[in-house]
Amino acid sequence: MKRTRKPNDVTTPPKIDIRGVASLARVSIATVSRTINHVPTVDPVLASRVWKAVSELNYFPNTQARALVSGKSRLLGLVVSEITNPFFPELIQEFEQIAVARGYEILIGSTNYETKTMEVCARRMLERQVDGVAIMTFGIEDFLLDRFTADNIPYVFIDPAPSRPLNSVLAVDYRAGIYEGVQHLAVLGHRNIGFISGPLTRRSAQSRKAAFLSCLQSTGLKANPEWLIEGNHALDGGRDAMQKILALPTWPTAIICSNDMTAIGLQHALFEANLRVPDDFSLIGFDDIHLAEYTIPPLTTVRMSCRELATRAIDNLLSRLKPLDNPAESATKITTRLIVRQTTGLPRNTLQDLPQMPATTPRKR
Amino acid sequence: MKRTRKPNDVTTPPKIDIRGVASLARVSIATVSRTINHVPTVDPVLASRVWKAVSELNYFPNTQARALVSGKSRLLGLVVSEITNPFFPELIQEFEQIAVARGYEILIGSTNYETKTMEVCARRMLERQVDGVAIMTFGIEDFLLDRFTADNIPYVFIDPAPSRPLNSVLAVDYRAGIYEGVQHLAVLGHRNIGFISGPLTRRSAQSRKAAFLSCLQSTGLKANPEWLIEGNHALDGGRDAMQKILALPTWPTAIICSNDMTAIGLQHALFEANLRVPDDFSLIGFDDIHLAEYTIPPLTTVRMSCRELATRAIDNLLSRLKPLDNPAESATKITTRLIVRQTTGLPRNTLQDLPQMPATTPRKR
DNA sequence: TACCCCACGGAAAACGTTTACACTAGGCAT
DNA sequence: ATGCCTAGTGTAAACGTTTTCCGTGGGGTA
């Protein structure tokens, strides 16, 4: 025998493990394991002795050991672009609540839009043996996905990722919400509408932009390439984009942003330039983060439900974990819809007789 | 023999584990382990064979197994109050970057201010065998801390927690920053200053409030209990607090908030009430989240450095992990300082000749 | 009374690592 | 030539669980 369990060392307190519980309850470790895993065939007398010992010792099972032998970590990965963009914490919160309700915990990865960091995150997910991963960021490399496939770990993309199998992509209906936004502006009399996209290396940014252009067209409006600016989904990108527009010889009267942080950046730039929202510019955001209700003035925006996103992502993952259930392959899209607040109004220099602005939509999630 | 490693099953792909690498590299698993852990005594020839096999198989070690045997998870816990309050994601981001730089990963827990959730978080930290925990929220129960102690897991409180041993508390110098704020307002001519605290069940909220009162006194100003309102560190709490103040017969001319989200809530309430900042009310926040620079108008606030917080917390934890290093027990406090932007100005109905407001402080982190 | 079956508990293998210890060569000094 | 030391590798124990398989005892049936 090379190494032996150290003999009863009176100086160090005894380790609290399954063996300790077993000996205190005067049963075998197998019975302890069965009890705490709620296997129904345990004698109630022994079970109560076990529970007594568990609470007496304040015992928690070791997750590592448990995962090692069972091959299931009960951990779900969530990879997002940037944790400091308030949209993602909201998503994370929903994701966590739903995961916990389903008996899982979550491991968060934030890529900060860097490919390198993305790789580190994916690697971490792999190393920690997550049971599934939801990915809401751009630019994951194929070899990483292959490794997920090799380890039989299901993944789901939130946002289109066309090169992936269908069952691993959760489509968001960008068009519906943006169309409502364009219509809303058109009804108010806007004819010149700009769009601030996210970083165009990102597929979802491209989709939102494409959705905007398509909506514009079906509303019968013309796109002006000068008013299509690439942002970065963050405050500073929004501010910079607005400054670029203000430097242009002709301005749009309304601007749609591909996320709320960008819109808040625009609001700030307009404030700095002494221009007023919605009197000088109408603004529409995207996401409907909590903060959108509190900007000055409150932001009209397209709501995408974090809860729906999280639920669908987790259910997708979980359904693929247990092949017994029929995967059902529902191809429905995540819905989006316009929430009208106060950053949209009549276009500048217009005195047409137009319908009153509807009141602020009450927030209900 | 009860269970045997399944015989070469041609249908399932071979598991990629340390044994696979070992056999491909024609060495023992011990050599593989030593190689990937950079033990210096490995023959370079064998090592290169191992690395070749590793990259060929795209092998990642199993963290669970690794943690199980070594007893170290290389995981640091971080428990925060509420992930949707933007301050915390900023802290999380810093914490993660520093942890990664030190060779650790992080596990995030968000308590949502609920004792029950706090317990679940702590339990999770225990179960996942974190090597240390940083806690920035209120109301952790003693028995949980005892369990950390029993498992020899160091913990550190960010925020005063007087009943804990000194080396496990990172003190924040609330007074310094708030004092600057009060002075700043006093110089502008404000005599009537209100304060919106966090939930007073929280020790840190009490500290900030106590710091404010003490600063008021040393500036020679009187506190009005009607202007001391309890908020919830969130947007709606700020809005509600401001509405309470506006319902009062006499108003303060300036209000200090115990965090930025509260201040943004106040700004919103003032906007709704058609009052102007800083013309009608001066406002000061606390934390200096990224967003503070982008509010309308940009928020004057007390900066607390997330990076400093994170660095100190992690170094504290890590120093206690290796008892060889002298713990050094540095009792310095986390510094805070005022960042003057545009929500502070002369008090209402005042036409004294006072110094110009300084320009916006450029943001540098 | 004899037999069988069922319910339940315990012993022990297995999960994928790290690491203590044993062992083998080879180099060097005597 | 012999002995000793060192460098480097391999074997196997150990980590704390889950889970399989077997044994035992009790109750029901013929």
Side-chain angles (χ1 to χ4, degrees):
Chain A
M1 196 187 291
K2 307 293 175 64
R3 254 159 84 194
T4 36
R5 186 173 285 272
K6 71 175 82 158
N8 240 340
D9 182 348
V10 272
T11 63
T12 58
K15 274 227 150 185
I16 300 172
D17 64 358
I18 200 173
R19 251 176 295 260
V21 176
S23 70
L24 182 59
R26 300 186 316 272
V27 296
S28 73
I29 60 168
T31 300
V32 175
S33 173
R34 279 191 278 254
T35 305
I36 62 180
N37 289 301
H38 301 102
V39 172
T41 66
V42 178
D43 183 293
V45 176
L46 298 200
S48 77
R49 287 220 304 270
V50 169
W51 285 121
K52 186 155 165 289
V54 164
S55 74
E56 213 159 290
L57 295 175
N58 207 357
Y59 164 77
F60 299 124
N62 180 322
T63 321
Q64 329 264 10
R66 189 176 259 199
L68 181 57
V69 53
S70 72
K72 293 289 141 208
S73 62
R74 299 203 76 81
L75 212 49
L76 254 24
L78 175 59
V79 181
V80 301
S81 302
E82 197 179 26
I83 197 176
T84 53
N85 177 336
F87 171 75
F88 290 112
E90 293 182 19
L91 176 69
I92 291 171
Q93 189 173 40
E94 297 289 354
F95 199 86
E96 169 159 49
Q97 281 172 9
I98 293 161
V100 166
R102 304 275 198 280
Y104 284 78
E105 292 172 18
I106 73 169
L107 190 59
I108 299 163
S110 176
T111 69
N112 299 323
Y113 297 108
E114 289 160 31
T115 312
K116 183 75 192 135
T117 316
M118 167 83 244
E119 193 178 327
V120 173
C121 284
R123 198 194 154 100
R124 198 166 77 205
M125 302 286 160
L126 251 13
E127 285 177 345
R128 301 258 170 218
Q129 316 281 141
V130 294
D131 292 345
V133 205
I135 301 166
M136 189 163 187
T137 186
F138 77 118
I140 185 167
E141 317 246 359
D142 276 339
F143 80 94
L144 291 170
L145 292 179
D146 293 343
R147 192 58 161 77
F148 282 118
T149 307
D151 282 18
N152 209 19
I153 297 174
Y155 52 84
V156 58
F157 281 86
I158 303 174
D159 266 350
S163 65
R164 300 295 140 211
L166 255 184
N167 70 338
S168 63
V169 175
L170 228 56
V172 177
D173 192 358
Y174 294 117
R175 209 177 176 289
I178 293 178
Y179 186 75
E180 277 189 80
V182 171
Q183 281 291 314
H184 171 65
L185 291 174
V187 166
L188 288 169
H190 292 273
R191 296 291 170 265
N192 302 312
I193 306 177
F195 186 80
I196 316 298
S197 70
L200 290 174
T201 46
R202 233 188 118 163
R203 283 238 174 63
S204 72
Q206 288 169 12
S207 317
R208 292 186 194 192
K209 183 175 168 182
F212 167 74
L213 290 174
S214 140
C215 292
L216 218 53
Q217 192 165 30
S218 34
T219 312
L221 297 177
K222 283 264 253 304
N224 180 340
E226 282 193 320
W227 300 337
L228 264 30
I229 311 237
E230 181 172 356
N232 64 355
H233 275 177
L235 294 166
D236 58 342
R239 185 196 53 209
D240 297 349
M242 191 70 235
Q243 286 167 353
K244 274 181 206 154
I245 287 184
L246 292 178
L248 255 29
T250 59
W251 296 347
T253 59
I255 300 173
I256 298 183
C257 299
S258 67
N259 81 338
D260 287 343
M261 291 307 270
T262 302
I264 295 173
L266 296 208
Q267 278 185 292
H268 180 78
L270 289 168
F271 165 78
E272 278 183 333
N274 256 314
L275 291 163
R276 311 210 34 159
V277 177
D279 304 341
D280 297 311
F281 280 94
S282 285
L283 246 42
I284 296 184
F286 197 107
D287 283 345
D288 193 26
I289 59 178
H290 294 328
L291 195 63
E293 211 178 338
Y294 284 84
T295 60
I296 295 176
L299 187 64
T300 295
T301 187
V302 176
R303 176 179 296 176
M304 172 163 64
S305 160
C306 283
R307 171 164 294 263
E308 190 181 352
L309 229 42
T311 312
R312 296 280 308 282
I314 288 182
D315 286 346
N316 178 301
L317 255 21
L318 259 34
S319 77
R320 294 196 285 154
L321 237 41
K322 305 172 191 151
L324 38 130
D325 307 2
N326 51 341
E329 187 49 53
S330 65
T332 60
K333 284 187 157 189
I334 303 287
T335 55
T336 57
R337 74 175 210 272
L338 186 71
I339 307 294
V340 178
R341 295 207 181 89
Q342 301 172 35
T343 55
T344 41
L346 302 183
R348 218 175 328 119
N349 306 326
T350 307
L351 286 169
Q352 303 150 327
D353 193 72
L354 283 168
Q356 280 283 118
M357 264 202 40
T360 302
T361 306
R363 182 182 202 90
K364 220 178 287 170
R365 283 194 182 248
Chain B
M1 196 189 294
K2 305 292 173 64
R3 253 160 85 195
T4 36
R5 186 172 286 274
K6 69 176 83 158
N8 240 342
D9 182 349
V10 272
T11 63
T12 59
K15 274 228 152 188
I16 301 172
D17 64 359
I18 199 173
R19 251 177 292 262
V21 175
S23 71
L24 182 58
R26 300 185 318 272
V27 296
S28 73
I29 61 167
T31 300
V32 175
S33 173
R34 280 190 280 256
T35 304
I36 62 180
N37 287 300
H38 301 102
V39 172
T41 65
V42 178
D43 183 294
V45 176
L46 298 199
S48 76
R49 287 221 303 269
V50 169
W51 286 122
K52 186 156 166 287
V54 163
S55 72
E56 212 160 288
L57 294 175
N58 206 358
Y59 164 78
F60 300 122
N62 180 322
T63 321
Q64 329 264 11
R66 190 176 259 200
L68 181 58
V69 52
S70 71
K72 293 289 143 203
S73 62
R74 299 203 77 80
L75 211 50
L76 253 24
L78 174 59
V79 181
V80 302
S81 302
E82 198 180 23
I83 199 177
T84 52
N85 177 335
F87 171 76
F88 290 113
E90 293 182 20
L91 176 69
I92 290 171
Q93 189 173 42
E94 296 290 352
F95 198 87
E96 169 159 49
Q97 280 172 8
I98 293 160
V100 166
R102 304 275 198 279
Y104 284 78
E105 293 171 18
I106 74 170
L107 189 60
I108 299 163
S110 176
T111 69
N112 298 323
Y113 296 108
E114 290 161 29
T115 312
K116 181 77 194 132
T117 317
M118 167 84 243
E119 193 177 325
V120 173
C121 283
R123 197 193 154 101
R124 200 167 75 205
M125 303 285 160
L126 249 15
E127 284 177 346
R128 301 259 170 217
Q129 316 280 137
V130 294
D131 292 344
V133 204
I135 300 166
M136 189 164 186
T137 186
F138 77 117
I140 185 169
E141 318 245 357
D142 275 338
F143 80 93
L144 290 170
L145 292 179
D146 292 344
R147 192 58 162 75
F148 282 119
T149 308
D151 281 18
N152 211 19
I153 297 174
Y155 53 84
V156 59
F157 281 87
I158 303 174
D159 266 351
S163 65
R164 301 293 142 216
L166 255 182
N167 69 340
S168 64
V169 175
L170 228 56
V172 177
D173 193 356
Y174 294 118
R175 210 178 176 288
I178 293 178
Y179 186 75
E180 278 188 81
V182 171
Q183 281 291 314
H184 171 66
L185 291 173
V187 166
L188 288 169
H190 292 272
R191 297 291 171 263
N192 302 312
I193 306 177
F195 185 81
I196 316 297
S197 70
L200 290 174
T201 45
R202 231 188 119 162
R203 283 237 176 64
S204 72
Q206 289 170 12
S207 315
R208 293 185 193 192
K209 182 177 171 183
F212 167 73
L213 291 172
S214 140
C215 291
L216 218 53
Q217 192 166 32
S218 35
T219 313
L221 298 177
K222 284 263 256 300
N224 180 339
E226 283 193 319
W227 301 336
L228 264 31
I229 311 236
E230 180 172 356
N232 64 354
H233 275 176
L235 294 166
D236 59 341
R239 183 197 53 208
D240 296 350
M242 191 69 235
Q243 286 167 354
K244 275 181 204 153
I245 287 184
L246 292 178
L248 255 28
T250 59
W251 294 349
T253 59
I255 301 174
I256 297 183
C257 298
S258 67
N259 80 340
D260 286 344
M261 291 306 271
T262 303
I264 294 173
L266 297 208
Q267 278 185 294
H268 180 79
L270 289 169
F271 165 79
E272 278 183 330
N274 256 313
L275 292 163
R276 311 212 31 159
V277 177
D279 304 342
D280 297 311
F281 280 94
S282 284
L283 245 42
I284 296 184
F286 197 106
D287 284 344
D288 193 25
I289 59 178
H290 294 327
L291 194 63
E293 212 179 337
Y294 284 84
T295 60
I296 294 176
L299 187 64
T300 295
T301 188
V302 176
R303 177 178 296 176
M304 173 163 65
S305 160
C306 283
R307 172 164 293 263
E308 190 181 352
L309 230 43
T311 312
R312 296 280 307 282
I314 288 182
D315 286 346
N316 178 301
L317 255 22
L318 259 35
S319 76
R320 295 193 291 155
L321 237 41
K322 305 170 191 154
L324 37 129
D325 308 1
N326 52 341
E329 187 47 55
S330 64
T332 60
K333 285 187 156 190
I334 304 288
T335 55
T336 57
R337 74 174 208 275
L338 187 71
I339 308 294
V340 178
R341 295 205 180 90
Q342 300 172 36
T343 55
T344 42
L346 303 181
R348 220 176 324 121
N349 306 325
T350 308
L351 286 169
Q352 302 148 329
D353 194 72
L354 283 166
Q356 281 283 117
M357 265 202 40
T360 302
T361 306
R363 182 183 200 92
K364 220 179 285 168
R365 287 201 179 240

